[in-house]
Amino acid sequence: MKKINILQKMIDESNNIVFFGGAGVSTESGIKDFRSEDGLYNMKYKYNPEEILSNSFFYNNTKEFYDFYKDKMNALDKEPNITHKFLFKLEKENKLKGIITQNIDGLHSKAGNKKVYELHGSIYRNYCTKCNKFYDAKYVFNCNDIPICQCGGIIKPDVVLYGEMLDDNCLRQSIKLISNCDLLIIAGTSLNVYPASGLINYFKGKYLVILNKTSTPYDNRANLVINDNLKNIFNSLH
């Protein structure tokens, strides 16, 4: 049986599905991932992107941080792709119980999904580091310089930078979802970034599926592995 048919059968017979996705989910929407050949980590910058996207760099080199952030993280004009739309359909059918994402682009919510747990935060939430006042993404991306609050404090995106902890509540909810699901679909992630990759250890359900262009360190644990573009995979499902 073709792998796509096996995946379709798993989805058809499962009523408690959880989707765990990484950067590869958004590449079809025109958002670059990090670790592929033409990803952000392989581009030439004055500073390494991992260094730029760190807590210490944000506070010590705020202007350079925002130069990179506004140039590379602005997803306001991006639209959900076939993967996002398929997941919205699954949630409407009450089969998908939640999405756990490492992405900060907000495309799952834009597609209509309600149960989205953003492990690394979102570009759509921004807060003053001094008074905690909320600012939307348009305000931040449209600022000519460093976004400054009315109180004079620096505005910081609510995204998890290197050197910062994941949100406790988000992590707890993600663990609960994975612990209770019967089908866990992991897609578009190399599963190399901890602690997000460690979430797979909480799965004790029936089917574990990994969909990614390249192999991952957890492939041997999966019931089904498909190495292909997510566009090809989700276009083949109904």
Side-chain angles (χ1 to χ4, degrees), residues 34-35 39-58 61 64-65 68-69 72-73 161-162:
F34 285 85
R35 288 176 170 78
L40 291 178
Y41 287 173
N42 291 313
M43 291 182 170
K44 299 291 178 261
Y45 291 99
K46 185 180 172 186
Y47 298 95
N48 183 308
E50 273 195 48
E51 185 185 350
I52 296 171
L53 296 172
S54 68
N55 176 278
S56 58
F57 194 91
F58 173 81
N61 305 80
E64 286 88 349
F65 171 88
F68 178 88
Y69 181 81
K72 298 300 175 190
M73 302 293 155
L161 301 175
Y162 288 99

Side-chain angles (χ1 to χ4, degrees), residues 87-220:
L87 294 173
F88 175 57
K89 180 178 83 76
L90 278 188
E91 187 176 281
K92 277 202 303 182
E93 293 167 358
N94 202 31
K95 291 171 78 70
L96 181 73
K97 303 305 181 187
I99 293 169
I100 301 160
T101 180
Q102 294 171 278
N103 298 335
I104 61 173
D105 51 49
L107 288 179
H108 287 295
S109 298
K110 212 171 186 178
N113 280 98
K114 302 290 182 231
K115 298 168 187 172
V116 182
Y117 297 91
E118 297 167 314
L119 286 176
H120 295 155
S122 170
I123 62 169
Y124 285 90
R125 298 187 300 270
N126 304 272
Y127 299 94
C128 172
T129 54
K130 198 170 170 184
C131 74
N132 213 36
K133 180 178 164 64
F134 172 87
Y135 286 86
D136 65 17
K138 280 184 181 174
Y139 181 85
V140 168
F141 286 114
N142 291 337
C143 271
N144 288 327
D145 204 351
I146 297 168
I148 300 294
C149 177
Q150 293 162 335
C151 77
I154 295 168
I155 297 165
K156 182 179 182 292
D158 185 20
V159 300
V160 179
L161 301 175
Y162 288 99
E164 295 179 341
M165 303 287 284
L166 299 189
D167 178 75
D168 259 0
N169 183 54
C170 186
L171 205 50
R172 272 198 304 273
Q173 294 299 328
S174 299
I175 289 169
K176 187 177 176 184
L177 276 176
I178 289 174
S179 300
N180 293 319
C181 71
D182 49 18
L183 166 58
L184 175 61
I185 301 173
I186 299 173
T189 173
S190 60
L191 289 172
N192 282 321
V193 178
Y194 191 84
S197 62
L199 289 173
I200 196 171
N201 296 321
Y202 292 93
F203 177 70
K204 45 184 184 283
K206 191 173 181 183
Y207 298 127
L208 174 62
V209 174
I210 296 178
L211 315 173
N212 199 46
K213 280 204 288 191
T214 56
S215 59
T216 80
Y218 294 88
D219 286 1
N220 61 332

Side-chain angles (χ1 to χ4, degrees), residues 14-76:
S14 301
N15 289 307
N16 189 337
I17 302 170
V18 170
F19 181 88
F20 176 42
V25 173
S26 294
T27 50
E28 291 294 339
S29 295
I31 298 172
K32 283 201 178 292
D33 65 3
F34 285 85
R35 288 176 170 78
S36 67
E37 270 182 48
D38 61 345
L40 291 178
Y41 287 173
N42 291 313
M43 291 182 170
K44 299 291 178 261
Y45 291 99
K46 185 180 172 186
Y47 298 95
N48 183 308
E50 273 195 48
E51 185 185 350
I52 296 171
L53 296 172
S54 68
N55 176 278
S56 58
F57 194 91
F58 173 81
Y59 286 104
N60 295 326
N61 305 80
T62 310
K63 186 180 184 317
E64 286 88 349
F65 171 88
Y66 268 116
D67 287 346
F68 178 88
Y69 181 81
K70 288 187 211 174
D71 186 36
K72 298 300 175 190
M73 302 293 155
N74 188 349
L76 297 185

